[in-house]
Structures are given as structure tokens and as C-alpha cells.
Amino acid sequence: MSDELRRALDDLVQDVAAEQDSRARSGGGLPVGAMTARARRNRIRHTALVSAVTACAVLGVAAGGVAVASWDRPESAPAAPPTRTSAPSPTPTSSPSPTTSSVVLPSGDPALPFGTCGSLVGAPTAAPAGEGLALELAATPSVLGGAPVDVRTTLAATSGDVGAVAPQTGPTVLFSRDGVVVATALTYPAGTTVDAVAFVYDDPDHPSRSTFVSHVTPTVCDAPGASVGEPLPAGDYAVIAVAGTWTTGRDALRGVAGDGVWTAADIASSVPLEERSVMSAAVPVRVEVQDADPATLPQAPTGPPSLDGVGVADDLNPYPDSCDTVVTPDPAGGLLAVTGPRGTVTAGTEVEVATTYGGSGRISLGRGSLLRLVRDGAVVAATAVGYDLEDVDFGSTVTTAVPTASWGTCAGGTTTAYGVALEPGTYTAYPVVLASPYGLVGPDGTEIVPRGSEVTTRQLVGEPFTLVVP
């Protein structure tokens, strides 16, 4: 073949490739993007084999186009450099797509009841929906592949006439994709041996809610043909919480909901209970393409939890004054750790006071969060106490927003006035939590301290920060 003919063929191939690229940019040419999107939408209606063949076909078409555009010419005899120049093709970047994962998710089966693996979102639940109840859900919006998702669920009564009994196993967390449940996780995997309950009712003076704080690692649930136990592949998921509960009249429930440890059977012996279910709104969670480093994932502590050495306890003063003089930070690494802001904060806005549970199993924790201000070595002011009540899984963190616009003045460890504007200047602020651990459950579900037991309140103090009052 002559050099002239070879160069002519080369020019022809380059022109065809350029024309194809121009058509693709203007909406013509091979609709690779649309083909990939359609394959993704049809995933639940195809078997794993058909999905794999379709993906290979799409990739084969795309690869074929690239092969034509970069056709490998045979070596030509030495010749003068061509006068025509072309811009170098950009180096393709790899962007793994969830549709190319080898993990097979469950297919949708409309015959399955909602909440089971492979069921469709929106199918009827096993028990009727509980009227006058609401289940709130918050979850980590984005995690690396294989990493746990932090979840916080709260069961609350929205009607003054309804009371509810919530089992302490916590809600079930469901991950769905394309309208199909592909992963299920219990809030507390070992909680089934605990039959103590919480009371939920709407009261204008003392509303009662049941809050569960945990982290779950979503894996593919057990369905025919699915990759059971594998971490969810990268992609976008809708997360829903579902809880089973029992309802009765609010006043009837309040009549028996005194101090002490109660089970559902105890309540049922005094008031009639109706089995109900409640479901949260869906929240989005994205699983990233990048996998988490296993060394960075939280490791569950072993052995039974213990309250020994937690904070400062005073049996004679179980509810210390906000202006108490305790401002010595607790050593790091304890069963409960308290943290506040770092650096310098200007008063007038809210600050977060966080409590992290570092023990095994889970703790039923009542928290009173506040700030104490120190000037010239004395506690001179403290905020009002914000109370929360949660069941907290190992390694989980709960927070309370503490306002810094209103203060109580302090003298000799007691509050002398409320709602006082502080003198402008710089103060040392200590985050403080009045912790009431009134239940401990070991990692195997055994109750170390029965839920509802009366325990001593303990003061936990975090490292200080600087607060400036303008």
C-alpha cells in the first residue's frame, strides 16, 4: 500500500470519528447514556445474568466506538512529518457505576408484606397504622461503602388522647432502592432479650417520647438470587424506619406508668392494648463508590458495661444545682465522654454539647446539658438545663443545643438569679452533662441494670473553651 493511500485512509477514519463525536455531543449518535440509564431502571425486572449481559453489551458498544476512533495503524516507512495536527484525546477517567457492581440486590415481589426483604415500598404492613403516632428518622446522608450509617429514631404521640408502649428493641431500619427493600437492620441487634418498655404520650406539661440512637451497617438482605450479606453497592437509597407498638388511651396509660421496670405484659394486665405499626418518612442515604478502610470502622467493645468511675456522683445530692462548683474535666476514654466547642465562641448563639457512649451494649440515658462559666477561679454563671432521654448504642453520640443568650448567676455553688445578662468580657466555659444512666444492656442483650431502675445522677465535665460576651 502506498504512503498516499495509507494517509488518505487515516484521514477518512479520523473524520468519521470526529463526526460521530459531534453527533454524540448534539444528541445524535449512539445513546450510550440513555441505554445505561434504561438498564439501571430495569434492574429489578431482570435476572443477574441478563443484567450482566446488558451491561456487557452497553460497554461493548461504547468500547467499539472508542476502538474505531483510535484505530491502530500499521507502522509506515519513514516519511516527512505530516502537516496536519490534531489535539490529543483526553485521558479517560474511571468512574465506577453502581450498575457495574457484581453485588446482586433483591428483586421486587409485590406478594411480600412490607418490611420484609424484597418487598415493595408502600405495601401494607403487618399491623394497622397507629393513629396519633409519629416516627421521626434522621440518618447519615452519605457514607463510604461498607461503613455504618448513624440513625436516630423517635416515637412520639401527636394526639392528646393516645398513649403507646414501645418495646426497647427499637425500630427496624429499611434500605430501599428502586422501590424495593434491599437491606434490613435492627436498631439493636441483641435487643430481643430485653422486654422492658417505654411510655409514649402527648402531655402539655410532661410529654413522653421514646428515642433510639444507634448505627447500622446495611448489607444485602436474604432473598433468592441476591448477594446475601454483602455490603450495599454504591448508589442512592431511601431509608425508612418501621416500629411495632401497642396503643391505648393516654390517661389510662399514665395511670399505670409510674416509676419502676415495666414490660408489655405488665401493662396489658392493667389496660387494654392494641397492636399497631408506625412508619417514618423516607430519608436519602448515599453509599459512595469508595470503600471504607476497615481499620477506621467502630469496633464494638466486649464484656459487660459498668457505671463504675463515671463522673462525679453524690448520693446526698442526686440533682445538683446548675451552678455547682464541679468544673474538673473527666478523663478521656471513659464510658461516657462530654465534649463542647473548641476555640473561642461568641455568646448569643447556641452551642452543641455532645455525649458519646463508649461502653459495650447500650445505655438508657437521661441527660441534662448545660454550660458553666468560670471567671477568676469561681463559677459565676450557668445556662438553663436542656433535658433529653435516649437509648444509646455503643459508640454513638447524642447532642443538645444549649443557648448562650440567657444565664443564671451563681454564688457559692447555687443559683442566685435567672435570665441575667452577663457582664461583657471573656469567660472560661465548661460543657457539663448531668447524666442519669437508668438502664444498661450488655452486648448479648442481657440487662446489667434493668431499664427504669432509679440510679444516681452523675456530673460529667468536658474540656473548656473560651466564651466572649460582647
Side-chain angles (χ1 to χ4, degrees):
M1 183 184 296
S2 68
D3 292 342
E4 290 80 7
L5 180 56
R6 184 177 294 109
R7 285 196 293 270
L9 288 174
D10 178 73
D11 291 342
L12 177 60
V13 170
Q14 296 295 337
D15 291 342
V16 170
E19 181 180 357
Q20 173 62 30
D21 180 70
S22 175
R23 288 184 179 180
R25 294 176 182 274
S26 63
L30 293 175
V32 176
M35 293 166 67
T36 305
R38 187 176 299 112
R40 183 182 300 112
R41 290 194 299 270
N42 291 338
R43 176 187 54 75
I44 63 173
R45 296 191 296 270
H46 288 70
T47 64
L49 178 60
V50 173
S51 297
V53 171
T54 303
C56 290
V58 173
L59 293 175
V61 170
V66 174
V68 170
S70 58
W71 176 55
D72 188 14
R73 304 184 301 275
E75 288 294 332
S76 61
T83 56
R84 178 178 55 81
T85 61
S86 60
S89 300
T91 302
T93 58
S94 174
S95 180
S97 168
T99 58
T100 63
S101 171
S102 59
V103 176
V104 180
L105 297 177
S107 300
D109 185 350
L112 295 174
F114 175 64
T116 58
C117 185
S119 64
L120 303 184
V121 175
T125 54
E131 298 293 335
L133 296 177
L135 186 61
E136 303 170 0
L137 169 66
T140 312
S142 178
V143 296
L144 299 179
V149 177
D150 293 336
V151 295
R152 181 187 180 95
T153 52
T154 299
L155 179 65
T158 58
S159 169
D161 298 329
V162 175
V165 179
Q168 288 308 298
T169 52
T172 299
V173 182
L174 309 175
F175 290 75
S176 68
R177 189 167 177 186
D178 297 334
V180 177
V181 175
V182 296
T184 65
L186 295 176
T187 304
Y188 304 122
T192 54
T193 61
V194 180
D195 57 3
V197 298
F199 304 103
V200 178
Y201 47 80
D202 183 23
D203 182 277
D205 297 321
H206 303 286
S208 177
R209 301 155 65 90
S210 188
T211 300
F212 309 87
V213 184
S214 180
H215 46 246
V216 299
T217 301
T219 57
V220 178
C221 56
D222 192 356
S227 303
V228 180
E230 290 293 323
L232 290 183
D236 295 319
Y237 297 85
V239 181
I240 302 169
V242 180
T245 185
W246 301 274
T247 61
T248 188
R250 183 196 69 177
D251 293 339
L253 183 62
R254 291 180 62 189
V256 298
D259 292 335
V261 181
W262 293 88
T263 67
D266 296 331
I267 306 302
S269 66
S270 301
V271 298
L273 295 179
E274 296 180 333
E275 186 177 2
R276 292 292 183 264
S277 62
V278 58
M279 183 173 66
S280 75
V283 299
V285 170
R286 173 183 288 270
V287 176
E288 302 292 347
V289 174
Q290 180 182 353
D291 289 335
D293 181 356
T296 65
L297 299 180
Q299 302 297 315
T302 59
S306 172
L307 296 177
D308 295 340
V310 176
V312 177
D314 185 352
D315 292 334
L316 301 178
N317 186 23
Y319 300 102
D321 193 289
S322 298
C323 287
D324 201 321
T325 57
V326 176
V327 290
T328 302
D330 291 279
L335 187 71
L336 293 170
V338 174
T339 55
R342 292 287 184 264
T344 300
V345 175
T346 300
T349 59
E350 294 181 335
V351 299
E352 280 196 345
V353 174
T355 306
T356 300
Y357 175 54
S360 60
R362 73 177 188 269
I363 188 170
S364 296
L365 181 64
R367 296 181 299 121
S369 304
L370 68 147
L371 298 179
R372 287 186 183 138
L373 298 190
V374 172
R375 211 174 196 186
D376 299 328
V379 177
V380 297
T383 63
V385 180
Y387 287 99
D388 294 277
L389 178 62
E390 299 113 340
D391 283 75
V392 185
D393 199 13
F394 81 91
S396 295
T397 298
V398 289
T399 62
T400 297
V402 177
T404 60
S406 180
W407 300 84
T409 54
C410 304
T414 60
T415 303
T416 57
Y418 295 95
V420 177
L422 294 183
E423 177 185 346
T426 300
Y427 299 80
T428 300
Y430 289 84
V432 179
V433 167
L434 308 179
S436 300
Y438 61 96
L440 278 174
V441 179
D444 62 350
T446 302
E447 287 184 309
I448 308 301
V449 176
R451 191 182 195 282
S453 300
E454 186 174 349
V455 297
T456 301
T457 300
R458 301 157 187 262
Q459 296 193 60
L460 306 169
V461 182
E463 295 294 334
F465 61 96
T466 300
L467 185 79
V468 177
V469 177

